[in-house]
Amino acid sequence: MVEKDSELQSWWKELREEGHGDRKELKEEGHGDKTDKPLWPKMHTMKELIDTCTIIRWMASALHAAVNFGRYPYAGFLPNRPTISRRFMPEEGTLEYEELESNPEKAFLKTITAQRDTLLGISLIEILSRHSSDEVYLGQRDTPEWTLDATPLKDFEKFGRKLADIEKKIIERNGDERFKSRVGPVNMPYTLLYPKSEGGLTGKGIPNSVSI
């Protein structure tokens, strides 16, 4: 059924050859007596379709949320994550090296991003780390009429309950004293994969898809 679905095969061909044109011949390197083999699924079976859609969905939602919405609390203080180095590492015997030894803070500030670029960089990180007020999160739809089919509606409701269970487990772990990274001296609970959030800089919430 999957192999003979012309629209599905056309989508898969476009994804590989247009969306990832530079990787359309992607292969896994052989080791020992194993030869190289293509990494792209052939999209002939239902399992290949399910696995592929799951990976795409994960990358466009939860993976993106996990790596994106936690940037501002750390990178919003630019010395934590400079965007550029304006000078080479000083060599022994140079004036720059003497400055580094005598006043490392001054040398560091002369090396990292300049003031104007710092303001631009922090502003950009802040914008990218914000949720819009009308964000649609994983497990939500922006219109209740997205489908009238009872089967997907039932499955979607089940998916929403699973997301709520995941959030509950994260909250429980945040209160577990065994996890010192969450309840230690810094007391920084993990919130990035809470499914929902309000608008703004919240450090939590999984949007339905990447949106810039």
Side-chain angles (χ1 to χ4, degrees):
M1 183 174 72
V2 172
E3 187 176 1
K4 294 180 180 179
D5 188 320
S6 58
E7 290 187 9
L8 180 59
Q9 293 301 324
S10 177
W11 166 77
W12 183 235
K13 184 175 187 294
E14 180 183 350
L15 188 148
R16 287 182 293 114
E17 298 184 5
E18 300 297 331
H20 294 277
D22 60 327
R23 310 288 282 174
K24 62 183 178 181
E25 300 299 332
L26 189 62
K27 291 185 177 182
E28 180 182 17
E29 291 184 5
H31 298 282
D33 58 350
K34 296 180 180 178
T35 56
D36 291 358
K37 60 179 180 180
L39 281 180
W40 291 110
K42 293 182 178 180
M43 201 57 71
H44 288 175
T45 66
M46 185 63 72
K47 183 181 184 305
E48 288 177 329
L49 175 60
I50 292 171
D51 288 348
T52 298
C53 289
T54 300
I55 291 170
I56 293 172
R57 196 76 186 87
W58 156 253
M59 292 182 69
S61 59
L63 176 61
H64 174 258
V67 300
N68 181 70
F69 293 108
R71 288 191 295 175
Y72 186 76
Y74 182 78
F77 179 63
L78 193 104
N80 280 341
R81 185 180 175 275
T83 55
I84 195 173
S85 176
R86 292 181 287 159
R87 304 195 301 184
F88 291 113
M89 185 67 72
E91 296 182 7
E92 244 181 301
T94 63
L95 292 175
E96 290 83 2
Y97 192 86
E98 290 177 13
E99 181 183 57
L100 180 63
E101 285 186 313
S102 62
N103 194 337
E105 186 174 308
K106 182 180 179 181
F108 178 66
L109 292 174
K110 279 185 177 181
T111 302
I112 64 172
T113 320
Q115 227 173 8
R116 178 179 175 276
D117 291 337
T118 291
L119 290 172
L120 289 173
I122 292 175
S123 299
L124 178 61
I125 291 171
E126 181 182 355
I127 291 169
L128 293 175
S129 299
R130 279 185 176 274
H131 288 297
S132 64
S133 57
D134 59 348
E135 192 88 78
V136 180
Y137 296 96
L138 198 64
Q140 296 179 341
R141 286 292 183 270
D142 55 358
T143 170
E145 294 83 22
W146 66 278
T147 182
L148 298 176
D149 192 324
T151 300
L153 283 172
K154 183 179 178 181
D155 289 339
F156 193 66
E157 185 180 344
K158 181 181 177 182
F159 178 62
R161 290 196 299 270
K162 283 188 175 182
L163 289 174
D165 288 341
I166 290 170
E167 181 171 349
K168 183 180 177 182
K169 288 179 181 178
I170 294 174
I171 293 172
E172 288 174 355
R173 290 178 181 178
N174 284 337
D176 192 329
E177 294 184 359
R178 292 177 301 169
F179 299 110
K180 298 303 180 185
S181 59
R182 304 185 189 197
V183 293
V186 178
N187 193 22
M188 188 78 173
Y190 184 83
T191 60
L192 292 172
L193 289 182
Y194 281 19
K196 298 177 180 61
S197 172
E198 55 278 359
L201 282 168
T202 65
K204 61 182 179 180
I206 305 173
N208 239 331
S209 183
V210 178
S211 58
I212 298 177

